[in-house]
């Protein structure tokens, strides 16, 4: 404020992280809910003077460790000499430094930034300061994230600990960050891949198994109902040589005139015959169901009916059905040992533990308000989605003993889309999923 200026209203002080910041004379403080301009008083008896505003950034995200990233800032009221800054808590964040700000027009700037490797995974405000000290702030316009986008894929669903992944993208794909994308064929999408990276399963139009032999991918159609009109293989367990042992999924079969149902299936490898056996799983009163996870000992997890969480356990002659929760629940995954199932119950992310004497616990709700636990690794880490965070939701990983203190949020591709996790590698090194119409992966541990 210039010397001699008289304020018609009281001086406004805002406190950030225990530090009082003088904002000058204002009739009101804007709420950090969208693009605003913080106006500086000066002349005219302290009347507010319009300043710049920040409405968006493109791209609206960046990865920790990026150097020389160019970000287009859009808004209004920009002028030559404008300087941009990335802020948190009302002050420039030292972990995101702006090395240059280029003036393009009154509505566009281009900032070049460097993001420190240890920058906080968080949403950042973008401010623009003019030469006359007028300042505008776009609140929560940029995200520092761990998510790595994989153009040409959507979504990524399965991963192993060496970074080999599978999913969709104009068909069934195999992906490795070091060597890129291989499109196996133009049908369906991949769902799960083993630790050796030489066997994966896919869905559409029928349940399928892929084996990498002598560097080339070879397709096997799994045994199917002759009347099936579709199907999916969505989970697998394999030995250390790349031989798949159990595969879980579903088939779509006719059910009366112009009607079909989805029925849960397990395919078991018979070593003696060198062939696959197709197992029809019980569904109780309903004909519908799906298997979304299978353990090393053949325990299958999924749902039946109108989304009722279920588990199927081998009983020698076949499989026994156990329901885990009422309608409106679902089981989405199981660990390799067959002792921990994850999913949802009562509208919240939940898990079930294998009891020492057999059977399963009642659903146990995860903290944090997440709505669906999607996958679990062999160390017991649970990946959940739709976890509330301010005015949006994010995916997150929970480590035992499953509290908010052991919760790690996963960043997305910008403040308006935090992404959705689909799977996790056996040791939790990679999480895969989707955001803004593209496959993504996170490397957390």
């Amino acid at each position: 404020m210039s010397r001699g200026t008289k304020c018609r209203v009281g001086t406004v002080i805002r406190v950030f992280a225990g530090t009082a910041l003088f904002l000058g004379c204002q009739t009101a403080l804007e709420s950090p809910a969208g693009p605003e301009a913080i106006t500086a008083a000066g002349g005219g008896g302290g009347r507010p003077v319009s300043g710049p505003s920040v409405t968006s950034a493109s791209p609206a995200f960046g990865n920790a460790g990026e150097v020389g990233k160019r970000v287009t800032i859009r808004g209004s009221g920009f002028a030559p000499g404008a300087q941009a800054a990335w802020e948190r808590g009302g002050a420039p964040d030292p972990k995101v430094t702006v090395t240059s700000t280029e003036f393009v027009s009154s509505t566009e700037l281009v900032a070049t930034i460097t993001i420190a490797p240890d920058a906080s995974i968080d949403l950042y405000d973008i401010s623009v300061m003019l030469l006359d000290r007028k300042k505008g702030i776009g609140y929560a316009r940029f995200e520092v994230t761990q998510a790595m986008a994989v153009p040409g894929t959507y979504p990524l669903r399965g991963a192993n600990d060496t970074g080999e992944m599978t999913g969709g993208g104009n068909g069934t794909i195999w992906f490795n960050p070091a060597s890129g994308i291989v499109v196996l064929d133009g049908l369906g999408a991949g769902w799960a891949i083993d630790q050796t990276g030489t066997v994966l399963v896919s869905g559409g139009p029928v349940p399928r198994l892929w084996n990498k032999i002598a560097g080339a991918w070879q397709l096997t159609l799994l045994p199917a109902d002759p009347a099936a009109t579709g199907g999916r293989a969505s989970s697998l367990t394999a030995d250390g040589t790349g031989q798949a042992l159990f595969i879980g999924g579903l088939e779509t079969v006719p059910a009366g005139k112009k009607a079909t149902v989805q029925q849960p299936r397990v395919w078991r490898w018979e070593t003696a015959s060198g062939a696959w056996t197709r197992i029809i799983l019980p569904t109780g009163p309903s004909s519908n169901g799906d298997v979304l996870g299978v353990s090393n000992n053949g325990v299958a997890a999924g749902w039946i009916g109108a989304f009722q969480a279920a588990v199927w356990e081998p009983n020698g002659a076949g499989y026994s059905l156990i329901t885990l929760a009422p309608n409106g629940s679902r089981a989405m995954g199981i660990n390799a040992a067959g002792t921990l199932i994850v999913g949802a119950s009562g509208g919240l992310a939940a898990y079930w533990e294998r009891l020492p004497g057999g059977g399963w616990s009642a659903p146990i709700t995860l903290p944090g308000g997440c709505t669906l636990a999607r996958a679990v690794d062999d160390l017991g880490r649970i990946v959940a989605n739709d976890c509330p965070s301010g005015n949006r939701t994010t995916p997150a990983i929970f480590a035992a003993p499953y509290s908010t203190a052991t919760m790690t949020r996963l960043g997305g591709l910008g403040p308006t889309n935090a992404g959705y996790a689909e799977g996790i590698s056996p040791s939790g090194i990679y999480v895969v999923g989707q955001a803004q119409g593209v496959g993504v992966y996170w490397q957390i541990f």
Side-chain angles (χ1 to χ4, degrees):
M1 183 169 63
S2 61
R3 180 176 298 179
T5 300
K6 295 182 180 179
C7 295
R8 297 184 178 180
V9 296
T11 299
V12 178
I13 300 293
R14 181 181 283 179
V15 177
F16 292 98
T19 302
L21 300 179
F22 174 77
L23 297 183
C25 301
Q26 300 184 117
T27 57
L29 288 175
E30 294 91 342
S31 172
E36 292 89 14
I38 295 181
T39 57
R47 293 178 180 176
V49 179
S50 63
S53 67
V54 177
T55 58
S56 66
S58 178
F61 62 92
N63 295 104
E66 281 195 88
V67 176
K69 185 178 185 70
R70 291 173 63 83
V71 179
T72 298
I73 302 169
R74 294 186 173 89
S76 63
F78 302 153
Q83 295 295 314
W86 265 241
E87 299 186 357
R88 287 199 308 154
D93 192 292
K95 300 298 183 179
V96 182
T97 56
V98 179
T99 57
S100 68
T101 305
E102 304 170 25
F103 173 78
V104 178
S105 70
S106 63
T107 60
E108 185 175 314
L109 304 172
V110 176
T112 301
I113 65 173
T114 292
I115 307 173
D118 59 346
S120 295
I121 306 301
D122 201 355
L123 296 177
Y124 289 68
D125 306 331
I126 298 177
S127 70
V128 171
M129 179 80 78
L130 304 184
L131 290 176
D132 61 5
R133 309 304 292 172
K134 297 186 181 74
K135 181 179 179 181
I137 299 178
Y139 291 95
R141 289 295 184 261
F142 189 90
E143 180 177 27
V144 173
T145 181
Q146 324 96 320
M148 301 296 295
V150 184
T153 69
Y154 183 81
L156 292 172
R157 283 200 171 99
N160 62 24
D161 289 330
T162 62
E164 294 166 297
M165 308 172 197
T166 190
N170 296 320
T172 299
I173 65 102
W174 173 94
F175 169 74
N176 184 293
S179 53
I181 299 171
V182 175
V183 180
L184 277 59
D185 71 8
L187 301 173
W191 279 72
I193 188 168
D194 84 315
Q195 277 286 65
T196 69
T198 60
V199 57
L200 63 85
V201 293
S202 65
V206 295
R208 298 179 297 161
L209 169 68
W210 293 87
N211 291 99
K212 194 174 186 180
I213 301 173
W217 287 99
Q218 299 184 14
L219 173 63
T220 298
L221 300 181
L222 293 170
D225 188 318
T229 59
R232 166 173 36 83
S234 54
S235 55
L236 71 87
T237 182
D239 64 19
T241 70
Q243 173 59 59
L245 302 176
F246 292 96
I247 295 172
L250 62 80
E251 287 184 289
T252 304
V253 297
K257 188 176 181 180
K258 296 183 179 180
T260 60
V261 294
Q262 293 181 344
Q263 293 186 337
R265 299 286 188 263
V266 164
W267 290 266
R268 182 178 64 213
W269 176 252
E270 306 293 351
T271 303
S273 63
W276 287 96
T277 294
R278 168 175 159 270
I279 302 171
I280 300 174
L281 299 178
T283 59
S286 170
S287 297
N288 283 303
D290 192 4
V291 173
L292 291 166
V294 63
S295 70
N296 285 342
N297 54 359
V299 177
W303 56 267
I304 60 170
F307 292 117
Q308 183 175 16
V311 58
W312 294 268
E313 297 184 349
N315 59 17
Y319 272 77
S320 299
L321 168 66
I322 302 171
T323 54
L324 298 172
N327 286 343
S329 62
R330 66 181 74 184
M332 302 295 293
I334 188 170
N335 64 348
T339 58
L340 182 63
I341 294 173
V342 299
S345 180
L348 294 172
Y351 62 95
W352 295 262
E353 296 177 328
R354 180 75 174 175
L355 300 176
W360 294 87
S361 70
I364 304 169
T365 301
L366 277 175
C370 312
T371 64
L372 181 68
R374 183 63 182 83
V376 58
D377 73 4
D378 295 344
L379 303 177
R381 297 189 185 107
I382 298 174
V383 178
N385 285 301
D386 298 326
C387 306
S389 177
N391 61 355
R392 67 174 189 165
T393 61
T394 71
I397 296 180
F398 292 85
Y402 310 131
S403 69
T404 53
T406 66
M407 175 185 185
T408 301
R409 291 190 180 275
L410 302 178
L413 297 181
T416 61
N417 193 319
Y420 189 89
E422 298 276 1
I424 187 171
S425 68
S427 297
I429 297 174
Y430 289 92
V431 177
V432 292
Q434 55 186 286
Q436 290 186 334
V438 66
V440 298
Y441 69 89
W442 298 266
Q443 192 171 2
I444 305 300
F445 302 108

